[in-house]
């Protein structure tokens, strides 16, 4: 019997105008860090077992896919995956407590849900996440813009 592929997903917000390349990279890292912390400290036995298997791949860097979603879709997916916790699936949202934003009144720091995360067997997560697009792979390199 073939072992189910275990994937980590980041659900990056696509509806925050100020979420550029650098902030996206940082938010993705934060989401993964929160995922690891949450599962280690709050996960049930099945969730910890799935995490341990994923963490054991590729010297601690298991498969991770970054998907694009608006806030409502991201939160819906996270909630739907939480219903799969007894099957070892985990999910949550990374809230940046100091997300920098510019408003009509000027610059401020806000508590914003920037990225969701999910971990579990690909076949269990696919019905929830399968229609979400990959995050854009448009180059962020200034040198690539000239070519």
């Amino acid at each position: 019997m073939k072992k189910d592929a275990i994937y980590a997903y980041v659900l990056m917000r696509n509806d925050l105008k100020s979420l550029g390349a650098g902030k996206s990279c940082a938010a993705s890292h934060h989401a993964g860090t929160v995922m690891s912390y949450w599962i280690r400290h709050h996960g049930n036995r099945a969730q910890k077992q799935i995490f341990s298997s994923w963490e054991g791949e590729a010297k601690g860097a298991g498969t991770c896919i970054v998907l694009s979603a608006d806030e409502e879709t991201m939160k819906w997916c996270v909630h739907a995956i939480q219903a799969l916790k007894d099957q070892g699936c985990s999910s949550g949202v990374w809230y940046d407590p100091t997300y920098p934003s510019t408003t009509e009144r000027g610059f401020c720091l806000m508590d914003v849900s920037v990225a969701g995360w999910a971990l579990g067997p690909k076949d269990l997560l696919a019905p929830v996440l399968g229609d979400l697009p990959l995050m854009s792979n448009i180059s962020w390199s200034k040198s690539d813009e000239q070519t």
Side-chain angles (χ1 to χ4, degrees), residues 44-47 50 81-90 124:
N44 64 30
R45 186 176 186 184
Q47 290 168 320
I50 292 288
I81 292 167
Q82 288 173 348
L84 302 171
K85 68 181 180 183
D86 291 338
Q87 297 174 60
C89 296
S90 307
L124 290 177

Side-chain angles (χ1 to χ4, degrees), residues 20-21 25 134-142 144-145:
C25 290
L134 291 171
M135 184 176 170
S136 173
N137 200 25
I138 296 173
S139 176
W140 293 330
S141 170
K142 289 189 183 244
D144 287 347
E145 291 174 4

Side-chain angles (χ1 to χ4, degrees), residues 8-17 19-20 24 28 64-78 113-118 128-138 140:
Y9 292 90
V10 175
L11 297 111
M12 189 62 59
R13 293 267 308 267
N14 61 16
D15 56 346
L16 291 171
K17 290 181 183 179
L19 187 61
S24 293
S28 180
C64 183
I65 307 292
V66 181
L67 302 173
S68 179
D70 61 35
E71 183 179 29
E72 182 181 353
T73 302
M74 175 193 70
K75 288 182 176 180
W76 181 90
C77 290
V78 165
S113 60
V114 179
W117 58 266
V128 178
L129 303 175
D131 290 335
L132 295 179
L134 291 171
M135 184 176 170
S136 173
N137 200 25
I138 296 173
W140 293 330

Side-chain angles (χ1 to χ4, degrees), residues 23-135:
K23 289 179 190 175
S24 293
C25 290
S28 180
H29 176 73
H30 288 309
T33 302
V34 168
M35 177 189 82
S36 298
Y37 179 87
W38 188 91
I39 295 170
R40 282 192 177 106
H41 291 87
H42 304 287
N44 64 30
R45 186 176 186 184
Q47 290 168 320
K48 289 178 180 180
Q49 184 176 6
I50 292 288
F51 178 73
S52 180
S53 295
W54 175 81
E55 189 177 44
E57 296 177 10
K59 298 180 182 178
T63 302
C64 183
I65 307 292
V66 181
L67 302 173
S68 179
D70 61 35
E71 183 179 29
E72 182 181 353
T73 302
M74 175 193 70
K75 288 182 176 180
W76 181 90
C77 290
V78 165
H79 180 74
I81 292 167
Q82 288 173 348
L84 302 171
K85 68 181 180 183
D86 291 338
Q87 297 174 60
C89 296
S90 307
S91 64
V93 175
W94 156 245
Y95 288 89
D96 185 342
T98 58
Y99 185 82
S101 185
T102 303
T103 68
E104 299 163 352
R105 296 184 194 174
F107 179 80
C108 65
L109 299 176
M110 301 169 49
D111 188 14
V112 175
S113 60
V114 179
W117 58 266
L119 179 73
K122 181 182 176 183
D123 62 335
L124 290 177
L125 298 179
V128 178
L129 303 175
D131 290 335
L132 295 179
L134 291 171
M135 184 176 170

